[in-house]
Amino acid sequence: MIVLAVETATKTASVALVSENRLLGEFTVQTQFTHSQSMMPMLDQMLKQAGISIEQVDGFAASIGPGSYTGLRIGIAAVKTFGFALNKPVYGVETLPAMIDQTPWLQGTILAMMDARRNRVYVAGVKQDGDSKELVLEQQAMEINDLVAWMDSQEGPLYLMGDGAEKYKESLQEGTKKLVFLHGEYATPTARTIAWRGLEMLKREEPGDPDEVVPAYLAKTQAERELEERRKKNGN
């Protein structure tokens, strides 16, 4: 089985190709180009280097968010197009739990978070104990104060990753828990973990209906918020 995945939730564009046994290829870049400009050339180059045609891919996966509204639409539209054209399954993968998959060796609670602005983050939490993984905080938008209170209620070490953790580092440290911040390669999600999750769905023979793959924005767009504010002012 071979799965091709895309990750376009952030400014970083990432594509990956995996089989049941290994990672076949991966490109992860952050350039001045938009995802619509960079993603397809990356996919084409990766397939050529791996010696695999698009017809040989058994399933597709995409990060569904949270993240960039435009970026998510571009990535999801691409894999849905492949799925419809080739009659192959397409899977949507939540961005933040997959991001935590980058740290399988850590023992404790790992939180992945993205900046949601206005003193909020998109966050998900997984507790790892040996080979055991438990989702302890479902992917959601949270106020920083509420997140600090939640962290203080947890036992054991806490590891934080993502641009939300970096931006609100001082505020997050106002609680009583000792926090470990993960930087560098752990600051952004990658297509590799999206692909592995998609492969597991394919193995379970989940339907993978392309029509069912939609973005998980978790918050209204700025345009939607501004429209609501105008309506409130106008009494509508």
Side-chain angles (χ1 to χ4, degrees), residues 79-136:
V79 295
K80 290 176 74 165
T81 298
F82 290 137
F84 281 125
L86 301 171
N87 194 29
K88 300 289 179 66
V90 178
Y91 302 107
V93 178
E94 290 186 335
T95 304
L96 296 175
M99 187 174 173
I100 295 171
D101 289 348
Q102 297 179 66
T103 60
W105 61 88
L106 288 177
Q107 302 297 298
T109 299
I110 303 98
L111 300 177
M113 58 188 75
M114 292 181 182
D115 178 22
R117 301 181 181 179
R118 299 188 177 188
N119 213 42
R120 296 179 307 152
V121 290
Y122 302 119
V123 61
V126 172
K127 186 173 184 179
Q128 297 183 163
D129 183 8
D131 294 331
S132 173
K133 286 189 175 184
E134 177 188 2
L135 183 67
V136 293

Coordinates of all heavy atoms in Angstrom, one line a residue, residues 79-136:
V79 N -5.8 16.7 -3.2 CA -5.9 15.3 -3.0 C -7.3 14.8 -3.4 O -7.5 13.7 -3.8 CB -5.6 14.9 -1.5 CG1 -4.1 15.1 -1.2 CG2 -6.5 15.6 -0.5
K80 N -8.3 15.7 -3.2 CA -9.7 15.3 -3.6 C -9.7 15.1 -5.2 O -10.4 14.2 -5.7 CB -10.7 16.4 -3.2 CG -10.9 16.3 -1.7 CD -11.8 17.4 -1.2 CE -13.3 17.2 -1.6 NZ -14.2 18.1 -0.8
T81 N -9.0 16.0 -5.9 CA -8.9 15.9 -7.3 C -8.3 14.6 -7.7 O -8.8 13.9 -8.6 CB -8.1 17.0 -7.9 OG1 -8.8 18.3 -7.6 CG2 -8.0 16.9 -9.4
F82 N -7.2 14.2 -7.1 CA -6.6 12.9 -7.3 C -7.5 11.8 -7.0 O -7.6 10.8 -7.8 CB -5.3 12.8 -6.5 CG -4.2 13.7 -6.9 CD1 -3.4 14.3 -6.0 CD2 -3.8 13.8 -8.3 CE1 -2.3 15.1 -6.4 CE2 -2.8 14.7 -8.7 CZ -2.0 15.3 -7.7
G83 N -8.2 11.8 -5.9 CA -9.1 10.8 -5.5 C -10.2 10.6 -6.5 O -10.5 9.4 -6.8
F84 N -10.8 11.6 -6.9 CA -11.9 11.5 -7.9 C -11.4 11.0 -9.2 O -12.1 10.1 -9.8 CB -12.6 12.9 -8.1 CG -13.6 13.3 -7.0 CD1 -13.4 14.5 -6.3 CD2 -14.6 12.4 -6.6 CE1 -14.3 14.8 -5.3 CE2 -15.5 12.8 -5.6 CZ -15.3 14.0 -4.9
A85 N -10.3 11.5 -9.7 CA -9.8 11.2 -11.0 C -9.3 9.7 -11.0 O -9.5 9.0 -12.1 CB -8.6 12.1 -11.4
L86 N -8.8 9.2 -10.0 CA -8.2 7.8 -9.9 C -9.1 6.9 -9.2 O -8.8 5.7 -9.1 CB -6.9 7.9 -9.3 CG -5.8 8.8 -9.9 CD1 -4.6 8.8 -9.1 CD2 -5.5 8.2 -11.3
N87 N -10.2 7.3 -8.7 CA -11.2 6.5 -7.9 C -10.5 5.8 -6.8 O -10.6 4.6 -6.5 CB -11.8 5.4 -8.8 CG -13.0 4.7 -8.2 OD1 -13.7 5.3 -7.3 ND2 -13.3 3.5 -8.5
K88 N -9.7 6.6 -6.0 CA -8.9 6.2 -4.8 C -9.4 6.9 -3.6 O -10.0 8.0 -3.7 CB -7.4 6.5 -5.0 CG -6.8 5.8 -6.2 CD -6.7 4.3 -6.1 CE -6.1 3.6 -7.3 NZ -4.7 4.0 -7.5
P89 N -9.3 6.3 -2.4 CA -9.8 6.9 -1.2 C -8.9 8.1 -0.8 O -7.7 8.2 -1.1 CB -9.6 5.8 -0.1 CG -8.6 4.9 -0.7 CD -8.7 4.9 -2.2
V90 N -9.6 9.1 -0.1 CA -9.0 10.3 0.3 C -9.3 10.5 1.8 O -10.5 10.3 2.2 CB -9.5 11.5 -0.5 CG1 -8.8 12.8 0.1 CG2 -9.1 11.4 -1.9
Y91 N -8.3 10.7 2.6 CA -8.5 10.8 4.1 C -8.1 12.2 4.6 O -7.1 12.8 4.2 CB -7.7 9.7 4.8 CG -8.1 8.3 4.4 CD1 -7.2 7.6 3.6 CD2 -9.3 7.8 4.7 CE1 -7.5 6.3 3.1 CE2 -9.6 6.5 4.3 CZ -8.7 5.8 3.5 OH -9.1 4.5 3.1
G92 N -9.0 12.7 5.5 CA -8.6 14.0 6.2 C -8.0 13.7 7.5 O -8.6 12.8 8.3
V93 N -6.9 14.3 7.9 CA -6.2 14.1 9.1 C -6.1 15.4 9.9 O -5.7 16.4 9.4 CB -4.8 13.5 8.9 CG1 -4.1 13.3 10.2 CG2 -4.9 12.2 8.1
E94 N -6.5 15.4 11.2 CA -6.4 16.5 12.0 C -5.0 16.9 12.2 O -4.1 16.1 12.5 CB -7.1 16.3 13.4 CG -8.6 16.2 13.4 CD -9.2 16.1 14.8 OE1 -8.5 15.6 15.7 OE2 -10.3 16.5 14.9
T95 N -4.7 18.2 12.0 CA -3.3 18.7 12.0 C -2.5 18.5 13.3 O -1.4 18.0 13.3 CB -3.3 20.2 11.6 OG1 -4.0 20.3 10.4 CG2 -1.8 20.7 11.4
L96 N -3.1 18.9 14.4 CA -2.3 18.9 15.6 C -2.0 17.6 16.2 O -0.9 17.3 16.7 CB -3.0 19.8 16.6 CG -3.1 21.3 16.2 CD1 -3.9 22.1 17.2 CD2 -1.7 21.9 16.0
P97 N -3.0 16.6 16.3 CA -2.6 15.3 16.8 C -1.5 14.6 15.9 O -0.6 13.9 16.4 CB -3.9 14.5 16.7 CG -5.0 15.6 16.9 CD -4.4 16.7 16.1
A98 N -1.6 14.8 14.6 CA -0.6 14.3 13.7 C 0.8 15.0 13.9 O 1.8 14.3 13.8 CB -1.0 14.5 12.2
M99 N 0.8 16.2 14.3 CA 2.0 16.9 14.6 C 2.7 16.3 15.8 O 3.9 16.2 15.8 CB 1.7 18.4 14.8 CG 2.9 19.3 15.0 SD 2.3 21.0 15.1 CE 3.8 21.9 15.5
I100 N 1.9 15.9 16.8 CA 2.5 15.3 18.0 C 3.2 13.9 17.6 O 4.1 13.5 18.3 CB 1.4 15.1 19.0 CG1 0.9 16.5 19.5 CG2 1.9 14.3 20.2 CD1 -0.3 16.4 20.4
D101 N 2.7 13.3 16.5 CA 3.3 12.0 16.1 C 4.8 12.2 15.8 O 5.5 11.1 15.7 CB 2.6 11.5 14.9 CG 1.2 11.0 15.2 OD1 0.9 10.8 16.3 OD2 0.5 10.7 14.2
Q102 N 5.3 13.4 15.7 CA 6.8 13.6 15.4 C 7.6 13.3 16.7 O 8.8 13.2 16.6 CB 7.0 15.1 15.1 CG 6.4 15.5 13.8 CD 6.7 17.0 13.5 OE1 7.8 17.4 13.2 NE2 5.6 17.8 13.5
T103 N 7.0 13.1 17.8 CA 7.7 12.9 19.1 C 7.3 11.6 19.8 O 6.9 11.6 20.9 CB 7.5 14.0 20.0 OG1 6.0 14.1 20.3 CG2 7.9 15.4 19.4
P104 N 7.5 10.4 19.1 CA 7.0 9.1 19.7 C 7.9 8.7 20.9 O 7.4 7.9 21.7 CB 7.2 8.1 18.5 CG 8.3 8.7 17.7 CD 8.1 10.2 17.8
W105 N 9.1 9.2 21.1 CA 10.0 8.8 22.1 C 9.7 9.5 23.5 O 10.1 9.1 24.5 CB 11.4 9.1 21.8 CG 11.7 10.5 21.5 CD1 12.1 11.4 22.4 CD2 11.6 11.2 20.3 NE1 12.2 12.7 21.8 CE2 11.9 12.5 20.5 CE3 11.2 10.8 19.0 CZ2 11.9 13.5 19.5 CZ3 11.2 11.7 18.0 CH2 11.6 13.0 18.2
L106 N 8.9 10.6 23.4 CA 8.7 11.4 24.7 C 7.7 10.7 25.6 O 6.7 10.0 25.1 CB 8.1 12.8 24.3 CG 9.1 13.8 23.7 CD1 8.4 15.1 23.4 CD2 10.3 14.0 24.7
Q107 N 7.9 10.8 26.9 CA 7.0 10.2 27.8 C 6.4 11.3 28.6 O 7.1 12.1 29.3 CB 7.8 9.3 28.8 CG 8.5 8.1 28.1 CD 7.5 7.2 27.4 OE1 6.7 6.5 28.0 NE2 7.7 7.1 26.0
G108 N 5.1 11.4 28.6 CA 4.4 12.5 29.3 C 3.3 13.1 28.4 O 2.9 12.4 27.4
T109 N 2.9 14.3 28.6 CA 1.8 14.9 27.8 C 2.4 15.9 26.9 O 3.2 16.8 27.3 CB 0.8 15.6 28.8 OG1 0.2 14.6 29.6 CG2 -0.3 16.3 27.9
I110 N 2.1 15.8 25.6 CA 2.6 16.6 24.6 C 1.5 17.5 24.0 O 0.4 16.9 23.6 CB 3.3 15.8 23.4 CG1 4.4 15.0 24.0 CG2 3.9 16.8 22.4 CD1 4.0 13.5 24.2
L111 N 1.7 18.8 24.0 CA 0.7 19.7 23.4 C 1.2 20.3 22.2 O 2.3 20.9 22.2 CB 0.3 20.8 24.4 CG -0.2 20.3 25.8 CD1 -0.4 21.5 26.7 CD2 -1.5 19.6 25.6
A112 N 0.5 20.2 21.1 CA 0.8 20.9 19.9 C -0.2 22.1 19.7 O -1.4 21.9 19.9 CB 0.7 20.0 18.7
M113 N 0.3 23.3 19.4 CA -0.5 24.4 19.3 C -0.1 25.4 18.2 O 1.1 25.5 17.9 CB -0.6 25.1 20.7 CG 0.7 25.6 21.2 SD 0.5 26.2 23.0 CE 0.3 24.7 23.9
M114 N -1.1 26.0 17.7 CA -0.9 27.0 16.6 C -1.5 28.4 17.1 O -2.5 28.4 17.9 CB -1.6 26.7 15.3 CG -1.1 25.5 14.6 SD -2.0 25.2 13.1 CE -1.1 23.8 12.4
D115 N -0.9 29.4 16.7 CA -1.5 30.7 17.1 C -2.8 31.0 16.5 O -3.0 30.9 15.2 CB -0.5 31.8 16.6 CG -0.9 33.2 16.9 OD1 -1.8 33.4 17.8 OD2 -0.5 34.2 16.2
A116 N -3.8 31.2 17.3 CA -5.2 31.5 16.8 C -5.5 33.0 17.0 O -6.6 33.4 16.7 CB -6.2 30.7 17.5
R117 N -4.5 33.8 17.4 CA -4.6 35.3 17.6 C -5.6 35.6 18.7 O -6.3 34.7 19.3 CB -5.0 35.9 16.3 CG -4.1 35.7 15.1 CD -4.5 36.4 13.9 NE -3.6 36.2 12.8 CZ -3.7 36.7 11.5 NH1 -4.8 37.4 11.3 NH2 -2.8 36.4 10.6
R118 N -5.6 36.9 19.1 CA -6.4 37.3 20.2 C -6.3 36.5 21.5 O -7.2 36.2 22.1 CB -7.9 37.3 19.7 CG -8.2 38.2 18.5 CD -9.7 38.3 18.2 NE -9.9 39.2 17.1 CZ -11.1 39.6 16.7 NH1 -12.2 39.2 17.4 NH2 -11.3 40.5 15.7
N119 N -5.0 36.2 21.8 CA -4.7 35.5 23.0 C -5.3 34.1 23.1 O -5.7 33.6 24.1 CB -5.1 36.3 24.2 CG -4.2 36.1 25.4 OD1 -2.9 36.0 25.2 ND2 -4.7 36.0 26.6
R120 N -5.4 33.5 21.9 CA -5.9 32.1 21.8 C -5.0 31.2 21.0 O -4.2 31.7 20.2 CB -7.3 32.1 21.1 CG -8.4 32.9 21.8 CD -9.7 32.8 21.0 NE -9.4 33.2 19.6 CZ -10.1 32.7 18.6 NH1 -11.1 31.9 18.7 NH2 -9.8 33.2 17.4
V121 N -5.1 29.9 21.2 CA -4.4 29.0 20.4 C -5.3 27.8 20.0 O -6.3 27.6 20.7 CB -3.2 28.4 21.2 CG1 -2.1 29.4 21.4 CG2 -3.6 27.7 22.5
Y122 N -5.0 27.2 18.9 CA -5.6 25.9 18.5 C -4.6 24.9 19.2 O -3.4 25.0 19.0 CB -5.6 25.7 17.0 CG -6.3 26.8 16.2 CD1 -5.7 27.6 15.3 CD2 -7.7 27.0 16.5 CE1 -6.4 28.6 14.6 CE2 -8.4 28.0 15.8 CZ -7.7 28.8 14.8 OH -8.4 29.7 14.1
V123 N -5.2 24.0 19.9 CA -4.4 23.0 20.6 C -5.0 21.6 20.7 O -6.2 21.5 20.6 CB -4.2 23.6 22.1 CG1 -5.5 23.7 22.8 CG2 -3.2 22.7 22.9
A124 N -4.1 20.7 20.8 CA -4.5 19.3 21.0 C -3.4 18.7 21.9 O -2.2 19.1 21.9 CB -4.6 18.5 19.7
G125 N -3.8 17.7 22.7 CA -2.9 17.1 23.7 C -2.9 15.6 23.7 O -4.0 15.0 23.6
V126 N -1.8 14.9 23.7 CA -1.7 13.5 23.7 C -0.8 13.1 24.9 O 0.3 13.6 25.0 CB -1.1 12.9 22.4 CG1 -0.8 11.4 22.5 CG2 -2.1 13.2 21.3
K127 N -1.2 12.1 25.7 CA -0.4 11.6 26.8 C 0.3 10.3 26.3 O -0.4 9.4 25.9 CB -1.2 11.3 28.0 CG -0.3 10.9 29.2 CD -1.2 10.8 30.5 CE -0.3 10.5 31.7 NZ -1.1 10.5 32.9
Q128 N 1.6 10.2 26.4 CA 2.3 9.0 25.9 C 3.0 8.3 27.1 O 3.7 9.0 27.9 CB 3.4 9.4 24.9 CG 2.8 10.0 23.6 CD 3.8 10.4 22.5 OE1 3.4 10.6 21.4 NE2 5.0 10.5 22.8
D129 N 2.8 7.0 27.1 CA 3.4 6.2 28.2 C 3.8 4.9 27.6 O 3.0 4.0 27.4 CB 2.4 6.0 29.3 CG 2.9 5.2 30.5 OD1 4.2 5.0 30.5 OD2 2.2 4.8 31.4
G130 N 5.1 4.8 27.3 CA 5.6 3.6 26.5 C 5.0 3.6 25.1 O 5.1 4.6 24.4
D131 N 4.4 2.5 24.8 CA 3.7 2.4 23.5 C 2.3 2.9 23.5 O 1.6 2.9 22.4 CB 3.8 1.0 23.0 CG 5.2 0.5 22.7 OD1 6.0 1.3 22.3 OD2 5.4 -0.7 22.8
S132 N 1.8 3.3 24.7 CA 0.5 3.8 24.8 C 0.3 5.3 24.5 O 1.1 6.1 24.9 CB 0.0 3.5 26.2 OG -1.3 4.0 26.5
K133 N -0.7 5.6 23.7 CA -1.0 7.0 23.4 C -2.5 7.2 23.8 O -3.4 6.5 23.4 CB -0.8 7.3 22.0 CG 0.6 7.4 21.6 CD 0.8 7.9 20.1 CE 2.2 8.1 19.7 NZ 2.3 8.7 18.4
E134 N -2.8 8.3 24.4 CA -4.1 8.7 24.8 C -4.4 10.2 24.5 O -3.6 11.0 24.9 CB -4.4 8.5 26.3 CG -5.7 8.9 26.8 CD -5.9 8.8 28.3 OE1 -4.9 8.5 29.0 OE2 -7.0 9.2 28.7
L135 N -5.4 10.4 23.7 CA -5.8 11.8 23.4 C -6.4 12.4 24.6 O -7.5 12.0 25.0 CB -6.7 11.9 22.2 CG -7.2 13.2 21.7 CD1 -6.0 14.0 21.1 CD2 -8.3 13.1 20.7
V136 N -5.8 13.3 25.3 CA -6.3 13.9 26.5 C -6.9 15.3 26.3 O -7.5 15.8 27.2 CB -5.2 14.0 27.6 CG1 -4.7 12.6 28.0 CG2 -3.9 14.8 27.1

